[in-house]
Amino acid sequence: MKTTLLFAALLALATPAFATQPVANRYAATIAPVERFDSGVLSVERHGNKGRPLILVPGLASGAWAWQSVLRDLAPDYTLYVVTLPGFDGRAFPPGAGLDAARAGLLELIKARKLDRPVLIGHSLGATLAFAVAEAAPQAVGGVVAIDGLPVFPGTEAMPPAERAAMAANMKARMAAVDPALFASQQQAYMRTIGVRDMAQADQLALLSARSDPAATGVYMAELLALDLRPGLGQITAPVLVLAPWFDQNPMYGRATPEAKAAWYQSLLAGAPHLQVLPVPDARHFVMFDQPQRVNTMLRAYLQGL
């Protein structure tokens, strides 16, 4: 079943486990921001100082390192705010943190900085948060880009609420018992099977994602599994771009062709008024690493069309 594959991919054990001590990592965040500050529970980096504001929201167990290619390409022409959620990339996970607190932090960022209809660019869980903000404050958002992220977790779209809640509770309990070494092995397995195509790159990225808190990751994952934002998609007034990666060796979420995968994503976004779903062939979940140039070109074309 699709849900069995989902759990297997997320919680798989890799052998042997690898060391998680800090080492030189070519994919770590190295671009110095103009400033750093907090917005609610979020840590924020600002890059660039001109053009339309863009808010970059990373996915599960990710930090600013996930956006380095996008920053290099877009910072000369836009003002980018890169957020990191509590519990991710070495940040503490305080009581009350979770998706609701992250959404509130994004809304506070827009209001406190007086951002004029920023574009929210989210990867995975970050894309779900972008949809949540665009539904809650449609007039405050100028665009939404979802990089392999959806308003409902793929594979759970037909589940009744009670089954979704039970799955979420199970996920939270299982991740609460995971120690850092096991979490590091899980991250390596995930990156090698779902994350990116290149195995050496997968191992380096897993070292970065393993810096996140396993229990916090479980909380976010549980909330994501229980969430379904599809009923509110009609409230979004901004143009929505969804990038749907496709790789013929992926063990889950597969469809026969890139176009079929994009059509599936389109069906999960039915109700969004201004929607474009584009396939990205030869890419796994971390599309920004598998196809950086193609992603940046797609982002620029979208932004120039607003």
Side-chain angles (χ1 to χ4, degrees), residues 103 107 129-141 232 235-236:
R103 181 183 62 177
L107 289 167
L129 276 169
F131 287 122
V133 171
E135 289 184 2
Q139 298 308 313
V141 176
Q235 301 173 43
I236 299 175

Side-chain angles (χ1 to χ4, degrees), residues 15-90:
T15 53
F18 61 96
T20 59
Q21 293 300 316
V23 294
N25 191 314
R26 63 180 297 190
Y27 304 109
T30 57
I31 303 173
V34 176
E35 65 172 321
R36 289 186 173 92
F37 59 94
D38 291 335
S39 178
V41 299
L42 303 175
S43 173
V44 186
E45 296 181 358
R46 179 170 67 86
H47 297 261
N49 56 12
K50 62 181 180 180
R52 186 164 200 151
L54 314 178
I55 300 175
L56 277 55
V57 190
L60 198 71
S62 297
W65 52 265
W67 298 111
Q68 298 298 285
S69 171
V70 174
L71 286 175
R72 281 191 291 269
D73 189 76
L74 296 183
D77 302 310
Y78 297 92
T79 303
L80 295 92
Y81 296 86
V82 183
V83 308
T84 301
L85 278 61
F88 293 167
D89 205 26

